Structures are given as structure tokens and as C-alpha cells.
Amino acid sequence: MPLHRRDFLKYSALAVAATSGMPGFLARAATQATGQKTLVVIQLTGGNDGLNTLIPYSNGAYYAARPTIAIPKKDVLTLGSDLGMHPSLKPLMGLWDAGQLAWMENIGYPNPNRSHFASMAIWHTADPTQAQAEGWIGRIAEKIGDPFCASNIGSSTPLALRAAEFSLPSIEAVDNFQVKLPAGLEGAFGAMLDAQRGGEADYLVRATRQMLSNTQKVQANVGKYRAGATYPEGKFAAQLKDAARLIASGTGQRILYVSLGGFDTHAGQRGEQDDLLAQLASGLAAFQTDLERQGVAERVVVMGFSEFGRRVAENDSAGTDHGQGSVMFALGKGVKGGIHGDSPDLEDLSLGDIKYKQDFRGVYAGALTNWLGLNAREILGGDFKGPQWLA
Amino acid sequence: MVGLKFSEKHVLGGILALLVLAAPAALALPKYRMQAITQFHLDDGSGLAALDRRVMACSYCHVKETGGAPWNPFGEAIRATFKANAEAGGKAKFPEVLYILLESGADADGDSYPDALEVWAKTLPGNAASKPSEALEVVQARFEAAGGVRQFEPQQAQKK
């Protein structure tokens, strides 16, 4: 019985699940062509405040709206006559000076939604109408017929990496991904694989054998990795290091997904966001240095987003509430450095929020078309123009 | 040659579905609530405190059971402490702000029992109708004997 493409994808994922729970990308990795470009997506969970990330330090309205939480002008890392970075982002200044850091201003989507859940789903599915159930990266896997083309580095797969029939793998820690059968079951497992089968069962057995074989090679490659940079402490940096290991080991992943949470700064924003942006910047700076020293920096770009920005005016808890438009960032040697978009207009707001001027799907389209060489229209379901953030 | 039977396919498909569904859901558990539960020593270590609203309902600080605005007097006191700290150039996070408030001896709901005392006695510091049944002096003495307000000091502050 011939397998249809959708069936193939489903049973490929099933082969992984039915055997060891090991992420399927390891099974494919040794045969995956190396040298392909990789996109690393960074999700800032909770709604990062774009105004205190890329600061309109020359705009009096910014300081008027935020009497206690604004970043003092003297502390801003000046990027131009209007905008500058939060001081916690100092580790990224080297990339900015090298033209390898891009900021995209006033990013959002039509009919903004201030719910974390709904807005994140919109970014994950790339569908502001919320009609789409599949994630945009999950759709990539379906379109190119590779259910292991992307992985989440973390414990739970975001909607972005879910397709209709399967979910792309999540990797909690690369070192833990090995076939470790319970003691005494090795023989039974071998006997199960040796049994004569046909049809789909035979396919599952062959896929399992291939996975076991290739996994050993991939683990050997991962084991050879030696960090080219000193990563800071913390889970986020550790996950970036795992991403660097996978890339340097040639596992052939097209997209890796890493998240940093805690950006829902309703109260005491300076204490929370200052620390989070420091984690973000120090982790990414180490990641980029590592990629350089591994000799793979040319084929990796990073793209970062959050589900929404925050209100322009601070609240009575020295924090900010959910808003609309915000900033995105990208970094890497393949990035066209600079600020893509205008400084936000704080005199023309939408219900107290920054109006979006650039659709995030246009940013995705750039990554799909100009970096990954994929058909953005097929994956996003339309043509979306965006900033030219890739060199 | 044996292919997968229909039922086997469904069993395996079910396993896969379970694996997908078993991925930890992004439960909407407010960060501040969990931090307060830990700081107030209300977590019994079972991991269930996050899911059990009886341990600490949103109405501990908010007017509505669903959280959000408006806040009850204790919630408003926390907000005011955040603001005062920021106005003074501070960058205190939630646990530190909570301790600053408790240490101040404030009585947000005006029931004559200080907030820290109510936290320890497991009554509601933002609701005047909820207060210890014993006299203030009695509860205060027992509270001090149990370690007083310092038992609510954030872990980081204790290290300093």
C-alpha cells in the first residue's frame, strides 16, 4: 500500500514516538545535507516592552508617559539621533557596530489582541484571524515534507512548531537524547526489531534502525563540540549553547526555537526587564561568538519577537500593561544591520498604544524567502511586505 | 508479511497523540501568586499549590476572583509600594516589595491586625471581614515567637 505524503509524515513522527521518544531530527541528521542555512527564532514570552528596549530617548512624550520607569537619557546606548538601546543590551553593541544587528520598529498585526494566549497564537500561526490551527514552522515541515526540519529547545513544543498531524520535537537538553532502554529490555527490543514484518510495520522497523544508527553518529558529532565562548549562567544561555552545539554538529536543522520568559512586567518593570534583557543580550552575544569560532556564523541568523508590546504610559505599579505594536530584532552575519522603520509616534496612539506600521508576517516572509529559500506565500497564505532586514 | 492492523495503527496513533498532548500546557498561573505562595510558606512541596486556588485565591490581592483590576486594599498597598520604590530610584522585584510592605507594619484593610500578622494567621490582609479570632496581643506574641516578619524575607534578602 503506497504511503501518501501526509501519511509518511505522520508515521515518521510515529516511528520516533513508538520507539524511544527520541527527537526524530537525530535520526535524519547524519543523512541531512549540511551547509544549509539555519534560522534561530527567539521568543520573548510575556509581552516585551519595546519602548524600553529600543528607546525614543529624544522624545519628551516618552519621558512624560513614564515618570518612574523611563530609561534615563544618560543610560541609553545611542544608536542614532532618535533611538537607542536599553543599557542591559550592551553585550550586543559589538554586533551593532559590525552591522550585524537589526531592529524592526512598530511591528504588529491588524486588529491587535491584548490577550497573551490569543496574541501568541497569532504570532505562532501567522494568522491574525485566528482561523489557522497549525503553526507557521509546522507548516514549513509539511510543505517541504520533513517532520524533523525544526526543533524547539525546551520542554514543551510551542504552537509555532505544530502541524496538523504531528508536532516537531522539543529538546530539553541535547546530552539527554540517547537511546537508553530499561535494563533487561535490550534483548526484547532487539528481538522486536528482528521480527519479520511488512507494510507500515516494516517501515517503522526500518525507520527505527535508521534512527539508532544515525543517532550514534550524531551523538559522536555533538560530543566533539567544544564551546567557543563562555556562556553566562542560566537556562536561556544553556539553551542557546545547545542550539550552537546542534548547528556546529551539522544536524541539518533549518529552524531552532528558543524562548525566554518573564516579560509580563505589570509591576516593578525596571527590576524585571533590566535583568531579562541582560540575560538576552549576554546569551546572544556568547552564542554569536561561539558560532564565529565554530566557523558556522555565516549560515545562521537569529530573529526575535514577543507577542505584543506594552502600553506607552506606565501604570500605578511602576510597570506597564499589555499593548500593541512593538519591536523585533535580528542578528547575524546575514543581517542588514540598522533600524528598519521609524521611531514610534507617541503623539498618535491607538487606545494608548503604539500603532503598528509593519506586519510581522512581512518579517517572517523575509526569513522564509531570503534566508531559508522557501515559498513564503505558500507558508503564510499570502504576500506580505516587510522590512529588508537581510543583507 | 504482516502489516499493521487497523487497531494497532490506532493504538500507536493514540500513543503519539498522548505524547503530543502530554507536552506541558502553558497554564496561566500568575507569577506573582506563585512567588507569594512560596514567600508565605504556603507551598507544601506537593506541587499542587499552583493549581489549588484554595491555597491562595486571586482575591487575596484582587477584587475579582479572576484577577486583574481593581485590587483590594492589600493589592493596592503592594502597588503603592512598587511605585514608591521606583520613585526613589529602586528596582525592587515582587518578593522584595512584598517584604518591604510587610515589614512596614501596615494594616491595609484597617481591621487592626497588621498585614504580616494576617499572612501568618492565614486570614486575608485585604479584607477587613477576615481577621484572626484571637486578640491582637495574643496573636502578635505567637507571631513573634514563630519568627516574626523575618520569616517572610525573600531568600535573596536573607543572603545579604
mmCIF file of all heavy atoms in Angstrom, chain B residues 25-56:
data_model
loop_
_atom_site.group_PDB
_atom_site.id
_atom_site.type_symbol
_atom_site.label_atom_id
_atom_site.label_comp_id
_atom_site.label_asym_id
_atom_site.label_seq_id
_atom_site.Cartn_x
_atom_site.Cartn_y
_atom_site.Cartn_z
ATOM 1 N N ALA B 25 1.170 22.022 29.236
ATOM 2 C CA ALA B 25 0.382 23.138 28.708
ATOM 3 C C ALA B 25 0.839 24.430 29.352
ATOM 4 O O ALA B 25 1.340 24.448 30.466
ATOM 5 C CB ALA B 25 -1.091 22.904 29.019
ATOM 6 N N ALA B 26 0.701 25.498 28.617
ATOM 7 C CA ALA B 26 1.088 26.808 29.140
ATOM 8 C C ALA B 26 -0.029 27.299 30.059
ATOM 9 O O ALA B 26 -0.864 28.092 29.689
ATOM 10 C CB ALA B 26 1.326 27.786 28.003
ATOM 11 N N LEU B 27 -0.060 26.745 31.256
ATOM 12 C CA LEU B 27 -1.106 27.136 32.196
ATOM 13 C C LEU B 27 -0.922 28.585 32.603
ATOM 14 O O LEU B 27 0.186 29.040 32.857
ATOM 15 C CB LEU B 27 -1.038 26.239 33.431
ATOM 16 C CG LEU B 27 -1.332 24.759 33.181
ATOM 17 C CD1 LEU B 27 -1.061 23.961 34.429
ATOM 18 C CD2 LEU B 27 -2.757 24.555 32.719
ATOM 19 N N ALA B 28 -2.025 29.285 32.659
ATOM 20 C CA ALA B 28 -1.965 30.706 33.034
ATOM 21 C C ALA B 28 -1.899 30.819 34.544
ATOM 22 O O ALA B 28 -2.907 30.966 35.224
ATOM 23 C CB ALA B 28 -3.183 31.432 32.477
ATOM 24 N N LEU B 29 -0.737 30.672 35.098
ATOM 25 C CA LEU B 29 -0.564 30.758 36.532
ATOM 26 C C LEU B 29 0.220 32.024 36.834
ATOM 27 O O LEU B 29 1.417 32.099 36.593
ATOM 28 C CB LEU B 29 0.190 29.532 37.038
ATOM 29 C CG LEU B 29 -0.496 28.201 36.767
ATOM 30 C CD1 LEU B 29 0.412 27.064 37.142
ATOM 31 C CD2 LEU B 29 -1.788 28.117 37.529
ATOM 32 N N PRO B 30 -0.428 33.022 37.399
ATOM 33 C CA PRO B 30 0.246 34.295 37.604
ATOM 34 C C PRO B 30 1.528 34.131 38.421
ATOM 35 O O PRO B 30 1.541 33.494 39.471
ATOM 36 C CB PRO B 30 -0.802 35.113 38.357
ATOM 37 C CG PRO B 30 -2.100 34.532 37.957
ATOM 38 C CD PRO B 30 -1.826 33.063 37.779
ATOM 39 N N LYS B 31 2.553 34.729 37.891
ATOM 40 C CA LYS B 31 3.870 34.630 38.525
ATOM 41 C C LYS B 31 3.846 35.167 39.952
ATOM 42 O O LYS B 31 4.420 34.569 40.867
ATOM 43 C CB LYS B 31 4.869 35.421 37.676
ATOM 44 C CG LYS B 31 6.273 35.436 38.211
ATOM 45 C CD LYS B 31 7.210 36.164 37.273
ATOM 46 C CE LYS B 31 6.915 37.647 37.210
ATOM 47 N NZ LYS B 31 7.894 38.388 36.400
ATOM 48 N N TYR B 32 3.173 36.286 40.138
ATOM 49 C CA TYR B 32 3.172 36.904 41.463
ATOM 50 C C TYR B 32 2.519 36.000 42.503
ATOM 51 O O TYR B 32 2.958 35.936 43.646
ATOM 52 C CB TYR B 32 2.456 38.257 41.430
ATOM 53 C CG TYR B 32 3.068 39.251 40.470
ATOM 54 C CD1 TYR B 32 2.268 40.100 39.713
ATOM 55 C CD2 TYR B 32 4.448 39.352 40.326
ATOM 56 C CE1 TYR B 32 2.823 41.017 38.841
ATOM 57 C CE2 TYR B 32 5.011 40.268 39.447
ATOM 58 C CZ TYR B 32 4.192 41.106 38.700
ATOM 59 O OH TYR B 32 4.756 42.005 37.837
ATOM 60 N N ARG B 33 1.452 35.338 42.111
ATOM 61 C CA ARG B 33 0.756 34.440 43.043
ATOM 62 C C ARG B 33 1.693 33.333 43.509
ATOM 63 O O ARG B 33 1.780 33.029 44.699
ATOM 64 C CB ARG B 33 -0.484 33.854 42.371
ATOM 65 C CG ARG B 33 -1.185 32.804 43.193
ATOM 66 C CD ARG B 33 -2.460 32.311 42.503
ATOM 67 N NE ARG B 33 -3.013 31.182 43.224
ATOM 68 C CZ ARG B 33 -2.697 29.923 42.981
ATOM 69 N NH1 ARG B 33 -1.841 29.635 42.016
ATOM 70 N NH2 ARG B 33 -3.230 28.953 43.673
ATOM 71 N N MET B 34 2.400 32.736 42.565
ATOM 72 C CA MET B 34 3.301 31.644 42.931
ATOM 73 C C MET B 34 4.454 32.140 43.796
ATOM 74 O O MET B 34 4.905 31.449 44.715
ATOM 75 C CB MET B 34 3.827 30.953 41.666
ATOM 76 C CG MET B 34 2.805 30.083 40.965
ATOM 77 S SD MET B 34 1.965 28.939 42.085
ATOM 78 C CE MET B 34 3.355 28.005 42.732
ATOM 79 N N GLN B 35 4.931 33.344 43.478
ATOM 80 C CA GLN B 35 6.013 33.893 44.304
ATOM 81 C C GLN B 35 5.527 34.135 45.735
ATOM 82 O O GLN B 35 6.246 33.875 46.704
ATOM 83 C CB GLN B 35 6.541 35.189 43.678
ATOM 84 C CG GLN B 35 7.336 34.957 42.405
ATOM 85 C CD GLN B 35 7.802 36.249 41.752
ATOM 86 O OE1 GLN B 35 7.207 37.305 41.939
ATOM 87 N NE2 GLN B 35 8.859 36.165 40.961
ATOM 88 N N ALA B 36 4.310 34.650 45.858
ATOM 89 C CA ALA B 36 3.757 34.916 47.197
ATOM 90 C C ALA B 36 3.529 33.615 47.960
ATOM 91 O O ALA B 36 3.795 33.535 49.170
ATOM 92 C CB ALA B 36 2.461 35.707 47.072
ATOM 93 N N ILE B 37 3.048 32.598 47.271
ATOM 94 C CA ILE B 37 2.819 31.302 47.935
ATOM 95 C C ILE B 37 4.126 30.777 48.520
ATOM 96 O O ILE B 37 4.180 30.293 49.656
ATOM 97 C CB ILE B 37 2.205 30.293 46.926
ATOM 98 C CG1 ILE B 37 0.732 30.641 46.682
ATOM 99 C CG2 ILE B 37 2.354 28.863 47.428
ATOM 100 C CD1 ILE B 37 0.069 29.830 45.585
ATOM 101 N N THR B 38 5.189 30.888 47.748
ATOM 102 C CA THR B 38 6.499 30.431 48.236
ATOM 103 C C THR B 38 6.969 31.290 49.406
ATOM 104 O O THR B 38 7.415 30.778 50.442
ATOM 105 C CB THR B 38 7.524 30.496 47.096
ATOM 106 O OG1 THR B 38 7.073 29.661 46.029
ATOM 107 C CG2 THR B 38 8.899 30.025 47.563
ATOM 108 N N GLN B 39 6.828 32.592 49.241
ATOM 109 C CA GLN B 39 7.336 33.512 50.258
ATOM 110 C C GLN B 39 6.569 33.386 51.567
ATOM 111 O O GLN B 39 7.133 33.575 52.643
ATOM 112 C CB GLN B 39 7.246 34.942 49.711
ATOM 113 C CG GLN B 39 8.043 35.960 50.507
ATOM 114 C CD GLN B 39 8.186 37.263 49.738
ATOM 115 O OE1 GLN B 39 7.879 37.337 48.548
ATOM 116 N NE2 GLN B 39 8.638 38.305 50.413
ATOM 117 N N PHE B 40 5.293 33.075 51.454
ATOM 118 C CA PHE B 40 4.458 32.941 52.650
ATOM 119 C C PHE B 40 4.474 31.505 53.200
ATOM 120 O O PHE B 40 3.705 31.187 54.104
ATOM 121 C CB PHE B 40 3.006 33.343 52.340
ATOM 122 C CG PHE B 40 2.826 34.804 52.014
ATOM 123 C CD1 PHE B 40 1.606 35.279 51.526
ATOM 124 C CD2 PHE B 40 3.855 35.712 52.171
ATOM 125 C CE1 PHE B 40 1.433 36.628 51.211
ATOM 126 C CE2 PHE B 40 3.690 37.058 51.861
ATOM 127 C CZ PHE B 40 2.486 37.516 51.383
ATOM 128 N N HIS B 41 5.304 30.667 52.623
ATOM 129 C CA HIS B 41 5.463 29.281 53.085
ATOM 130 C C HIS B 41 4.134 28.521 53.013
ATOM 131 O O HIS B 41 3.802 27.725 53.897
ATOM 132 C CB HIS B 41 6.016 29.242 54.516
ATOM 133 C CG HIS B 41 7.212 30.116 54.711
ATOM 134 N ND1 HIS B 41 8.410 29.911 54.066
ATOM 135 C CD2 HIS B 41 7.394 31.238 55.461
ATOM 136 C CE1 HIS B 41 9.276 30.848 54.415
ATOM 137 N NE2 HIS B 41 8.682 31.682 55.252
ATOM 138 N N LEU B 42 3.386 28.757 51.977
ATOM 139 C CA LEU B 42 2.101 28.066 51.812
ATOM 140 C C LEU B 42 2.223 26.855 50.890
ATOM 141 O O LEU B 42 1.260 26.111 50.726
ATOM 142 C CB LEU B 42 1.052 29.032 51.229
ATOM 143 C CG LEU B 42 0.751 30.269 52.082
ATOM 144 C CD1 LEU B 42 -0.222 31.195 51.359
ATOM 145 C CD2 LEU B 42 0.183 29.855 53.437
ATOM 146 N N ASP B 43 3.404 26.683 50.295
ATOM 147 C CA ASP B 43 3.604 25.564 49.382
ATOM 148 C C ASP B 43 4.060 24.357 50.187
ATOM 149 O O ASP B 43 5.109 24.392 50.823
ATOM 150 C CB ASP B 43 4.666 25.950 48.343
ATOM 151 C CG ASP B 43 4.779 24.928 47.225
ATOM 152 O OD1 ASP B 43 4.151 23.855 47.347
ATOM 153 O OD2 ASP B 43 5.487 25.206 46.251
ATOM 154 N N ASP B 44 3.281 23.300 50.131
ATOM 155 C CA ASP B 44 3.628 22.108 50.913
ATOM 156 C C ASP B 44 4.609 21.198 50.166
ATOM 157 O O ASP B 44 4.917 20.103 50.630
ATOM 158 C CB ASP B 44 2.366 21.318 51.279
ATOM 159 C CG ASP B 44 1.610 20.816 50.052
ATOM 160 O OD1 ASP B 44 2.115 20.999 48.920
ATOM 161 O OD2 ASP B 44 0.526 20.236 50.227
ATOM 162 N N GLY B 45 5.071 21.650 49.020
ATOM 163 C CA GLY B 45 6.047 20.864 48.272
ATOM 164 C C GLY B 45 5.438 19.823 47.367
ATOM 165 O O GLY B 45 6.149 19.144 46.630
ATOM 166 N N SER B 46 4.136 19.691 47.386
ATOM 167 C CA SER B 46 3.481 18.685 46.551
ATOM 168 C C SER B 46 3.388 19.130 45.096
ATOM 169 O O SER B 46 3.100 18.329 44.213
ATOM 170 C CB SER B 46 2.070 18.409 47.079
ATOM 171 O OG SER B 46 1.250 19.555 46.898
ATOM 172 N N GLY B 47 3.604 20.405 44.863
ATOM 173 C CA GLY B 47 3.465 20.922 43.503
ATOM 174 C C GLY B 47 2.033 21.257 43.150
ATOM 175 O O GLY B 47 1.746 21.689 42.038
ATOM 176 N N LEU B 48 1.129 21.038 44.083
ATOM 177 C CA LEU B 48 -0.286 21.272 43.791
ATOM 178 C C LEU B 48 -0.730 22.701 44.083
ATOM 179 O O LEU B 48 -1.805 23.112 43.682
ATOM 180 C CB LEU B 48 -1.158 20.295 44.599
ATOM 181 C CG LEU B 48 -0.930 18.816 44.287
ATOM 182 C CD1 LEU B 48 -1.772 17.947 45.206
ATOM 183 C CD2 LEU B 48 -1.274 18.531 42.826
ATOM 184 N N ALA B 49 0.106 23.442 44.789
ATOM 185 C CA ALA B 49 -0.285 24.803 45.155
ATOM 186 C C ALA B 49 -0.590 25.652 43.927
ATOM 187 O O ALA B 49 -1.477 26.509 43.956
ATOM 188 C CB ALA B 49 0.814 25.453 45.982
ATOM 189 N N ALA B 50 0.136 25.371 42.853
ATOM 190 C CA ALA B 50 -0.069 26.157 41.636
ATOM 191 C C ALA B 50 -1.479 25.983 41.092
ATOM 192 O O ALA B 50 -2.027 26.876 40.451
ATOM 193 C CB ALA B 50 0.951 25.758 40.577
ATOM 194 N N LEU B 51 -2.039 24.828 41.350
ATOM 195 C CA LEU B 51 -3.347 24.516 40.767
ATOM 196 C C LEU B 51 -4.496 24.722 41.752
ATOM 197 O O LEU B 51 -5.654 24.746 41.353
ATOM 198 C CB LEU B 51 -3.351 23.057 40.280
ATOM 199 C CG LEU B 51 -2.254 22.712 39.266
ATOM 200 C CD1 LEU B 51 -2.190 21.209 39.055
ATOM 201 C CD2 LEU B 51 -2.523 23.415 37.948
ATOM 202 N N ASP B 52 -4.184 24.824 43.026
ATOM 203 C CA ASP B 52 -5.228 24.869 44.048
ATOM 204 C C ASP B 52 -5.483 26.313 44.479
ATOM 205 O O ASP B 52 -4.707 26.907 45.223
ATOM 206 C CB ASP B 52 -4.793 24.024 45.246
ATOM 207 C CG ASP B 52 -5.926 23.855 46.253
ATOM 208 O OD1 ASP B 52 -6.955 24.552 46.115
ATOM 209 O OD2 ASP B 52 -5.766 23.035 47.172
ATOM 210 N N ARG B 53 -6.610 26.842 44.031
ATOM 211 C CA ARG B 53 -6.938 28.232 44.347
ATOM 212 C C ARG B 53 -7.237 28.423 45.831
ATOM 213 O O ARG B 53 -7.270 29.551 46.313
ATOM 214 C CB ARG B 53 -8.138 28.699 43.521
ATOM 215 C CG ARG B 53 -7.871 28.721 42.032
ATOM 216 C CD ARG B 53 -6.993 29.893 41.658
ATOM 217 N NE ARG B 53 -6.225 29.587 40.440
ATOM 218 C CZ ARG B 53 -5.395 30.433 39.844
ATOM 219 N NH1 ARG B 53 -5.190 31.619 40.338
ATOM 220 N NH2 ARG B 53 -4.733 30.086 38.768
ATOM 221 N N ARG B 54 -7.478 27.325 46.555
ATOM 222 C CA ARG B 54 -7.731 27.467 47.992
ATOM 223 C C ARG B 54 -6.450 27.861 48.724
ATOM 224 O O ARG B 54 -6.511 28.441 49.804
ATOM 225 C CB ARG B 54 -8.272 26.155 48.560
ATOM 226 C CG ARG B 54 -9.674 25.817 48.069
ATOM 227 C CD ARG B 54 -10.077 24.415 48.480
ATOM 228 N NE ARG B 54 -9.160 23.421 47.929
ATOM 229 C CZ ARG B 54 -9.281 22.114 48.107
ATOM 230 N NH1 ARG B 54 -10.276 21.631 48.822
ATOM 231 N NH2 ARG B 54 -8.418 21.271 47.573
ATOM 232 N N VAL B 55 -5.306 27.530 48.136
ATOM 233 C CA VAL B 55 -4.043 27.900 48.778
ATOM 234 C C VAL B 55 -3.902 29.417 48.790
ATOM 235 O O VAL B 55 -3.521 30.002 49.801
ATOM 236 C CB VAL B 55 -2.843 27.254 48.036
ATOM 237 C CG1 VAL B 55 -1.522 27.737 48.622
ATOM 238 C CG2 VAL B 55 -2.943 25.737 48.115
ATOM 239 N N MET B 56 -4.193 30.016 47.673
ATOM 240 C CA MET B 56 -4.222 31.479 47.594
ATOM 241 C C MET B 56 -5.058 31.867 46.376
ATOM 242 O O MET B 56 -4.643 31.650 45.235
ATOM 243 C CB MET B 56 -2.816 32.076 47.483
ATOM 244 C CG MET B 56 -2.833 33.609 47.404
ATOM 245 S SD MET B 56 -1.196 34.326 47.199
ATOM 246 C CE MET B 56 -0.574 34.194 48.868
#
